[in-house]
Amino acid sequence: MREIDVKNITETVAKLCINANRHLPQDVRCAIKTCRECEDGKIAQGVLDNIIENFEIADKECVPICQDTGMACVFLEIGQDVHFTGGNLQDAINEGVRKGYTEGYLRKSVVKDPVRRGNTGDNTPAMIYTEIVDGEKVKITVAPKGFGSENMSAIRMFKPSAGLQGIKDFIVETVENAGPNPCPPMVVGVGIGGTFDKAALLAKKALLRPLGSHNKDEFYASLESEMLEKVNALGIGPQGFGGKTTAIGLNIETMATHIAGMPCAININCHVTRHETEEI
Amino acid sequence: MTKKITLPLTEEKAKTLHAGDSVLLTGTIYTSRDAGHKRMCEALARGEELPFDPTDATIYYVGPTPAAPGQIIGSAGPTTSGRMDAYAPTMMSVGARGMIGKGARLPEVIDAMKKYSGVYFGAIGGAGALLAKCIKKCELIAFEDLGAEALRKLYVEDMPLTVIIDSEGNNLYETGRKNYLEGKE
């Protein structure tokens, strides 16, 4: 058994919040640059040039890429041989978010009540997801999620008879409905299977997988390529001004489900698909 | 061709702008988003005045990150304009003419734009670090308690924008996509 002081969790979460908001992952940068090379239209090229310039400024000057520095989604893979000491894990994570968002001059975008509103002032609480795995390490991923894109996400509980075509149509419909709102080019995370809530979590996790990688199951890997092509054929383009690049990536994650159902969730993200990971 | 526009946005200037135009905007603009618009429209309903003169004014839908020491403002890209659709016609009815944001608008807003010669400019969503470079002055003028959503007066120089919807109701979100799909960009 390994003991880990929760102070380490606080420090790590704080650092990850700041870094994720300043430095776009390499795979996302590459995907945007590749799409820029393929665009023919002047407006689309200009938009992508500005997007590239923007993430380069943020990286170099250590400022937030986007002003919506998001809700802090914190994923922990906790080795089952770990024992946390020095305090409560959830409090330690929230303290890390508080520290990161304050010291990193990040925007505080969280309200304490969904209906009555009221900013909490420190971007807490974090959205926390824990998973128990083998071993004695803790892997922490912070993925700040902006809501321009979150608001364009969708979930549907299909009958199994809807089949693959139902899923395909739903993906295209959701991206088309999102249109210019989620700051395209977007990243599309698709979760299929599980229960109502698990499908949504799979979709969110799909956004963490590197762009250009594929689902290990060839059936879904080929579906990812087919659907990326289909959503790009919509012509929404960068910022919705028309063009080839509506999405820079489309990842699908799946799991088992009930004989009576086929849940499908689609989590939309913008071109600022941020996440940083560290293992303790 | 890029058009250089100096604010305030008079009716005459607004009518020279067309959907799809690239614009470099210079002058004073005001920031507001959900909570600020709600308060301003409630104030107007009570017959009170706004914290700034809305005549020919341009409003930027933005909630910036806090300024770090030595910065004028933090990252400052546009938020989704559709959330301000409920308030935009009221704002135009008292003289505000320009709107800067991103994303689709409702037909009611476009109708009001035609009536009051309004212009909807798009700033690049997610390009907050780049857009902050054009902001040369920033002054908090009202609703400080709203934090990022407070009302700020900004002076911008050569802010790179695209006209999405013009005062005749032409909409780049419709024509841009259509032209791309028809291959006549």
Side-chain angles (χ1 to χ4, degrees), chain A residues 72-279:
Chain A
C73 297
V74 182
F75 298 84
L76 291 100
E77 288 177 25
I78 303 167
Q80 63 182 10
D81 298 325
V82 169
H83 176 226
F84 291 108
T85 62
N88 175 281
L89 177 64
Q90 192 170 312
D91 292 346
I93 295 167
N94 281 321
E95 185 53 34
V97 169
R98 190 172 291 123
K99 189 173 152 70
Y101 275 74
T102 306
E103 292 176 5
Y105 295 93
L106 305 177
R107 198 179 78 184
K108 287 69 176 181
S109 312
V110 176
V111 292
K112 61 181 178 287
D113 184 285
V115 177
R116 291 167 292 177
R117 320 299 289 176
N119 200 304
T120 62
D122 57 12
N123 220 52
T124 67
M127 299 292 109
I128 303 171
Y129 309 88
T130 53
E131 200 177 325
I132 305 297
V133 298
D134 286 336
E136 51 176 31
K137 290 189 169 163
V138 178
K139 189 171 157 188
I140 307 177
T141 298
V142 174
K145 187 66 175 76
F147 257 56
S149 55
E150 193 74 356
N151 281 339
M152 304 318 292
S153 304
I155 189 162
R156 191 170 293 169
M157 303 303 285
F158 283 101
K159 294 183 181 107
S161 60
L164 182 59
Q165 195 57 45
I167 304 254
K168 286 182 183 179
D169 293 346
F170 183 44
I171 295 171
V172 173
E173 177 195 316
T174 303
V175 171
E176 183 156 33
N177 181 46
N181 288 14
C183 300
M186 53 186 115
V187 177
V188 184
V190 182
I192 314 170
T195 45
F196 181 81
D197 52 316
K198 282 281 187 184
L201 181 57
L202 286 171
K204 181 140 264 117
K205 282 190 171 175
L207 295 173
L208 300 177
R209 209 174 78 216
L211 302 184
S213 72
H214 275 292
N215 191 301
K216 285 188 197 110
D217 182 331
E218 256 180 53
F219 174 80
Y220 291 109
S222 106
L223 185 61
E224 286 173 342
S225 303
E226 182 191 337
M227 293 318 296
L228 182 58
E229 207 172 299
K230 282 217 165 77
V231 299
N232 280 328
L234 288 170
I236 294 166
Q239 294 296 301
F241 298 160
K244 289 182 180 174
T245 317
T246 297
I248 53 171
L250 188 148
N251 290 347
I252 300 174
E253 293 293 331
T254 67
M255 70 189 301
T257 190
H258 191 276
I259 48 172
M262 191 174 66
C264 180
I266 300 168
N267 199 189
I268 303 285
N269 211 353
C270 57
H271 56 87
V272 188
T273 291
R274 302 158 283 197
H275 46 86
E276 279 271 316
T277 301
E278 192 167 305
E279 198 169 61

Side-chain angles (χ1 to χ4, degrees), chain B residues 38-56:
Chain B
K38 185 165 185 274
R39 280 195 195 174
M40 286 196 287
C41 287
E42 283 167 359
L44 289 170
R46 289 192 300 265
E48 294 166 15
E49 293 209 335
L50 296 183
F52 62 93
D53 178 5
T55 311
D56 299 338

Side-chain angles (χ1 to χ4, degrees), chain B residues 10-24:
Chain B
T10 58
E11 184 169 8
E12 194 186 357
K13 282 180 200 165
K15 287 189 167 164
T16 65
L17 295 169
H18 304 288
D21 285 352
S22 290
V23 171
L24 290 173

Side-chain angles (χ1 to χ4, degrees), chain A residues 41 47 50-51 53-54 57 61 63-65 67 69 105-108 148 176 180-181 183 233-235 239-244 271, chain B residues 33 63-69 71 75 77-78 80 102-104 124-130 133 148 172-173 176-177 180-181 185:
Chain A
V47 168
N50 282 335
I51 285 172
E53 192 185 348
N54 182 66
I57 290 172
E61 299 183 11
V63 296
I65 308 161
Q67 76 292 334
T69 51
Y105 295 93
L106 305 177
R107 198 179 78 184
K108 287 69 176 181
E176 183 156 33
N181 288 14
C183 300
L234 288 170
Q239 294 296 301
F241 298 160
K244 289 182 180 174
H271 56 87
Chain B
R33 39 175 290 159
T65 59
Q71 283 185 324
S75 294
T80 311
K102 53 113 178 168
I124 294 181
L130 180 70
K133 299 260 178 207
L172 178 64
Y173 287 143
R177 186 176 168 197
Y180 167 75
L181 292 173
E185 217 179 9

